[in-house]
Every structure is written in structure tokens, then in C-alpha cells.
Amino acid sequence: MRPIENIVILTGAGISAESGLATFRGPDGLWEGHRVEDICTPEALARDPVLVQTFYDARRAALASVEPNAAHRALARLDAGWKGELLIVTQNVDDLHERAGAQRMLHMHGELKSALCRRCGGRSEWMDTLIDGPACPACGAPGGLRPDIVFFGEMPYQMERIEAALEDADLFVSIGTSGAVYPAAGFVQTARHYGARTLELNLDPSAGSHFFDKTRIGPASRLVVQWVDSLLGG
Ligand code: OAD
């Protein structure tokens, strides 16, 4: 078996659950009481901008009252200490990985702390609300900003970079995601196809659990710390 040099880590809402951010699916999930197509689609934004902007404004505001947990910190420690290639691909739109100190990471589903201009396509750092129709900092157009979130039916960010990393990966690790949303749900199969070992760390087995060589069940704050310690020899 080839040695582990290149690692790709996929994270989902489960890694931020112990920081106090709700996951999407299941009881108490963010999609409970909402149909995804009423919130997270370009059509929903066009039909009911108040509902969609209010939903994401509330989630952006909630970031101020949460902190990274032990799992985010462990991945940041791995990022800093790992000599080989490493890429953290998060589906999360919170900023907890970067606040923990992770650097080799990307947000494939966008970011709450960013606004996307429907006129010029510019992405601007954004901490405030969008409901009040502020002007785009890049082009000055009024009222054109939307949450910089990849809605269903839209292309996730940086897919080429992710595909290239998956092709080179020796180890693919999936943390805290239900495996319900493609293309992220298919990354395990891509990584396997190119010869990576695969590991799932999750509170419940995901939809694609059978694709992984190993699945460990438990909270991210325990499993991720143990796994990082085992890799770094800590
Ligand atoms: P989900 O809500 O679908 O799944 C969360 C997963 O985290 C579940 O498998 C839980 O068992 C697991 N989980 C919960 N608490 C955990 C803990 N403490 N430790 C470890 N695992 C835990 O969230 P995602 O899979 O991230 O897309 O959802 C994928 C995408 O669907 C999101 O990025 C979002 C959503 O619609 C967009 O908004 C574009």
C-alpha cells in the first residue's frame, strides 16, 4: 500500500454542530420547516427575496456567537504540521475552519461572510445584512447583492482544483456530512477510483458509507482529534 502523502478532507455541517450551529437535515435541522427549494435556489431568491435574504442574514449574524471547536482546531493543527499536500474542502458556509487557523482550505458552497453581485459578478467580503439592498462595493450598483452561497442548481466553487486534489490523494477523509448533496457526495468514489484510501468520521453513517474503507462513528470533537493525533504522532 502506498504511503500517505497527499490528503483531501471533506467537511460538512456536522463538524460545526458542537460549536452550536445547526446541521441541515434531521430533527432541528435548518431545512426542518423549510423546503430547500423555497430558500436555497435562484428561483426562490427571485420569488421571495425577503425570505431568502432574511434566512441568510440570520445565519451570518449567528456566526458572531459561535467559536471553532476541537475538531476545527485539530484540522488546523494537521494543516500546519503536515509536510505533504493537504486540502480541506468544506461544504460549510461558516468561517470556523479559518478562525481555527486552517489555511489550505476552500469553501465549495460559498461563504456567509461574502456577498455576490448579480450585476458585475464581484464577490465582496460582507459582515452586515443584505435585506436592506446595499450597493455593491465593486460596481456601485444598488440592490444587486445576494448571499455568496452556491444554491441548488448552481456550480460549486473550485471544482477543477478539487478534482485535481482528489486524483492525487492517498487518503480521503469525510467528516460530518450526510452525503446527501452532489457533487461532494461523490468525492469518495472519485478518490477511490484514483487509488486513495478512504475514511469516514461521522455521528451516523452517511448515505454513501459503504464506499468508505473505514467508518468511525462518534462526535467530530473526539474522532477528529484522535485521527489527527494518530497522523501527527501526538
Ligand atoms: P447535513 O445536515 O445533511 O448532515 C450533517 C451530518 O453531520 C449528518 O450525517 C450527522 O450525522 C453529522 N453530525 C451531526 N453532529 C455531528 C457531530 N457532532 N460530529 C460528527 N458528525 C455530526 O449537512 P451536510 O452534509 O453538510 O448546501 O449538507 C450538505 C449540504 O446540504 C450543505 O452544504 C448545504 C445543504 O443544503 C448548501 O447550502 C448549498
Side-chain angles (χ1 to χ4, degrees):
M1 203 176 276
R2 66 197 204 205
I4 297 172
E5 287 178 10
N6 301 340
I7 304 176
V8 176
I9 300 161
L10 173 70
T11 67
I15 197 167
S16 296
E18 291 166 83
S19 293
L21 293 176
T23 60
F24 292 94
R25 292 170 182 81
D28 303 327
L30 283 169
W31 294 150
E32 268 302 291
H34 290 293
R35 293 187 318 153
V36 174
E37 54 273 32
D38 287 339
I39 300 281
C40 196
T41 62
E43 294 77 19
L45 181 64
R47 192 170 55 237
D48 193 346
V50 173
L51 176 70
V52 176
Q53 297 282 28
T54 306
F55 178 85
Y56 286 106
D57 279 352
R59 300 198 53 217
R60 191 179 305 105
L63 295 182
S65 54
V66 297
E67 297 289 337
N69 66 51
H72 299 105
R73 290 195 296 272
L75 290 189
R77 191 156 51 86
L78 181 63
D79 177 24
W82 188 253
K83 301 279 183 280
E85 294 293 326
L86 179 140
L87 182 64
I88 300 168
V89 177
T90 189
Q91 298 169 90
N92 298 343
V93 294
D94 65 53
D95 60 346
L96 296 179
H97 281 305
E98 47 270 54
R99 273 161 59 188
Q103 297 193 348
R104 290 184 280 180
M105 64 152 301
L106 62 85
H107 286 273
M108 66 176 290
H109 287 168
E111 298 172 58
L112 285 167
K113 287 193 173 171
S114 175
L116 175 66
C117 179
R118 281 171 283 185
R119 307 276 158 74
C120 73
R123 306 176 72 192
S124 304
E125 194 175 323
W126 202 262
M127 307 296 186
D128 218 331
T129 54
L130 289 173
I131 186 77
D132 25 346
C136 170
C139 71
L145 294 178
R146 57 163 267 188
D148 193 1
I149 303 291
V150 175
F151 289 150
F152 283 87
E154 296 179 332
M155 185 62 91
Y157 286 117
Q158 303 204 46
M159 282 306 296
E160 279 183 24
R161 184 174 167 204
I162 296 169
E163 295 281 345
L166 289 171
E167 285 183 25
D168 287 345
D170 304 306
L171 176 64
F172 172 78
V173 184
S174 170
I175 302 169
T177 175
S178 61
V181 176
Y182 281 81
F187 290 171
V188 58
Q189 292 169 75
T190 307
R192 276 180 82 100
H193 174 79
Y194 287 102
R197 282 176 254 179
T198 54
L199 168 66
E200 172 175 49
L201 308 175
N202 210 19
L203 201 57
D204 308 292
S206 68
S209 220
H210 52 286
F211 290 119
F212 289 86
D213 298 325
K214 281 190 198 152
T215 294
R216 293 196 191 126
I217 296 298
S221 60
R222 176 164 58 81
L223 295 186
V224 178
V225 172
Q226 284 171 351
W227 171 66
V228 168
D229 284 349
S230 73
L231 269 184
L232 292 179

